[in-house]
Amino acid sequence: MSRSRAMRPLALWSAFLLVHVVVAVAGWLYPSQPMGDVVLVYEPWSAAALSGGPIVGITETWVYPQLALVPMLLAKILSVPLIAVLGVSEAYLIAWAVLVTVLDAVAFAVLIGRSPSQPRRAAAWFWTAALLLLGPIALYRIDAITVPLAVIAGLWLTRRPATAAALLAIGAWIKIWPGALLLAAVVAARSRMRILLTAAAVTAGVVALLFVLGADTEILGFLTQQTGRGLQIEAVAATPFLWLAAVGSARIEYSFEILTFQIDAQGADAVGAALTPLMAVLVAVITVVGAVKAMRGASFPRLFPPLALSLVTALIVMNKVGSPQFQTWLISPVILWLVLDRARAAVPAVLVLALCALTCLVYPLNYDALLRAEMLPVAILTLRNILLVVALVVGIRAVFRVPAHRPSTKRE
């Protein structure tokens, strides 16, 4: 092995870990408390659970699937030795950043190995750039826990389908979106039955455990909790209402129940109510198109990446919530696209990098101005939301363009 080739993994690791440090520190420096959810919500939830208080998802309805509490508890345990020196909040923040970095490093090791191919190097640089451009929100949210799980699972789908399916099912019980990758795998992979049965077994195990712990009616609370939400200001469908707010014809209000900013305008509730069924329809249509391609012989490397990206992007575009951390969902499908079919992944990769940069410009850098409905942040958010729609179109178009020909049974 040449010296330059041997240095490639070192350069990748150095950049990846350096970016994690930079992004983690930026969380302490950027405005609008980009670490707020971790210290103001995750830490109290985990502290209550460990001290005999209410347990979210078990004794009371929760906005997240129940396994999301596991990394929160783990970060709390990791923070204990630091509390005497740093205090509760700072210790928990550092423990959370370390936990996410370690999980990312494990997935990064799976991605690049000892001597990464050119597609895997491209995917590694893409991931590094996406983290840097998205900023602290890429680390300081529960979504950050699911990204490395999705990356590892996607890379193992063909070689270790059962393990991959288990990881995706666990990820979906932390934050729902990895279920989109699981659905894409069931459609595109030849080992779909093994994937489906493994995911079903993991889900059955989680549900059984929750019953034993006494969750009962709270098991699907993370779904029912979402039904009462209004239209969040950063959602794609909220864009026209934001412009109305900018000219004084709509208002931005804070929901103390959901802890987020929502649109208060005529028609906003109707739009929000329509989004979930429309999302279900769009996901079903994309899945059917992918299934038809698979039945006609489309290969896994060509079909899975655009199908996964399309399904994940549909969850974002048709969502009544538009949280900035949703952009992390797009990272793993593009990483897998670069690894499996790099020649056709350039446009999606550039789009996602642009989405990460624009999202960081909105939150946290200009979020206060957005809450005042100032023109510049509204325009930046509008561009971000337009690019999300473009990414959805690019993904769906790529699915339609996947070559699908049944293997010939004729002998030459």
Side-chain angles (χ1 to χ4, degrees):
M1 183 184 295
S2 66
R3 179 179 177 82
S4 61
R5 186 176 179 183
M7 291 295 289
R8 288 171 183 170
L10 178 61
L12 288 169
W13 273 111
S14 299
F16 192 67
L17 295 177
L18 177 61
V19 163
H20 276 77
V21 173
V22 169
V23 170
V25 172
W28 300 76
L29 304 176
Y30 281 9
S32 301
Q33 290 187 307
M35 305 181 298
D37 279 19
V38 173
V39 69
L40 299 177
V41 185
Y42 302 172
E43 193 281 328
W45 280 336
S46 56
L50 291 173
S51 62
I55 304 176
V56 286
I58 303 296
T59 62
E60 59 183 44
T61 304
W62 198 27
V63 71
Y64 296 131
Q66 284 82 352
L67 289 188
L69 186 59
V70 174
M72 298 177 190
L73 292 173
L74 183 55
K76 184 62 179 175
I77 294 169
L78 291 174
S79 73
V80 171
L82 304 175
I83 291 177
V85 178
L86 301 173
V88 173
S89 297
E90 287 75 8
Y92 191 81
L93 284 169
I94 290 176
W96 183 267
V98 169
L99 175 61
V100 173
T101 301
V102 169
L103 290 175
D104 280 356
V106 172
F108 200 70
V110 174
L111 173 62
I112 68 171
R114 293 184 178 181
S115 181
S117 62
Q118 190 171 358
R120 287 177 178 256
R121 292 199 305 273
W125 285 117
F126 164 80
W127 192 359
T128 303
L131 289 173
L132 183 62
L133 292 173
L134 187 54
I137 204 69
L139 263 64
Y140 295 109
R141 288 296 187 273
I142 187 63
D143 308 68
I145 300 294
T146 58
V147 172
L149 295 180
V151 170
I152 296 172
L155 293 171
W156 283 357
L157 272 171
T158 54
R159 292 182 297 144
R160 303 171 184 172
T163 304
L167 288 174
L168 289 175
I170 291 169
W173 275 98
I174 295 174
K175 198 69 186 283
I176 298 173
W177 76 268
L181 270 66
L182 185 60
L183 178 58
V186 170
V187 170
R190 292 183 178 179
S191 53
R192 57 179 58 88
M193 285 306 300
R194 190 186 307 179
I195 292 170
L196 187 59
L197 291 174
T198 302
V202 170
T203 296
V206 171
V207 171
L209 177 61
L210 293 176
F211 268 116
V212 170
L213 294 175
D216 298 332
T217 58
E218 309 300 331
I219 289 179
L220 297 180
F222 61 93
L223 296 177
T224 58
Q225 187 80 349
Q226 300 289 339
T227 57
R229 300 188 75 142
L231 188 60
Q232 191 184 13
I233 61 172
E234 294 156 273
V236 173
T239 306
F241 296 104
L242 266 184
W243 284 104
L244 291 177
V247 298
S249 298
R251 291 187 301 173
I252 296 173
E253 293 191 345
Y254 186 74
S255 169
F256 288 94
E257 181 180 357
I258 306 296
L259 306 179
T260 190
F261 289 93
Q262 301 179 163
I263 292 290
D264 180 16
Q266 185 176 1
D269 289 342
V271 171
L275 286 174
T276 300
L278 288 175
M279 178 196 296
V281 170
L282 180 58
V283 167
V285 170
I286 294 171
T287 303
V288 168
V289 174
V292 170
K293 289 288 184 177
M295 287 187 295
R296 292 179 177 175
S299 68
F300 178 83
R302 286 294 303 270
L303 178 59
F304 175 75
L307 183 59
L309 182 64
S310 299
L311 291 171
V312 170
T313 310
L315 297 185
I316 301 174
V317 171
M318 305 305 294
N319 208 312
K320 65 172 71 175
V321 182
S323 300
Q325 61 267 25
F326 285 7
Q327 308 311 307
T328 61
W329 304 0
L330 303 171
I331 293 175
S332 54
V334 174
I335 288 173
L336 300 174
W337 202 338
L338 285 165
V339 170
L340 296 173
D341 190 19
R342 185 170 64 96
R344 297 168 185 84
V347 171
V350 171
L351 281 171
V352 170
L353 292 178
L355 286 166
C356 289
L358 290 170
T359 298
C360 186
L361 285 176
V362 173
Y363 183 89
L365 296 181
N366 288 285
Y367 198 64
D368 289 341
L370 178 67
L371 297 180
R372 296 190 296 268
E374 294 182 7
M375 290 292 186
L376 179 59
V378 171
I380 295 172
L381 181 57
T382 299
L383 178 58
R384 196 283 304 270
N385 288 344
I386 289 172
L387 287 185
L388 276 170
V389 176
V390 171
L392 176 61
V393 172
V394 167
I396 294 174
R397 180 175 179 268
V399 173
F400 272 104
R401 291 170 64 90
V402 171
H405 304 290
R406 291 187 182 277
S408 175
T409 57
K410 296 180 179 180
R411 295 185 178 181
E412 296 296 335

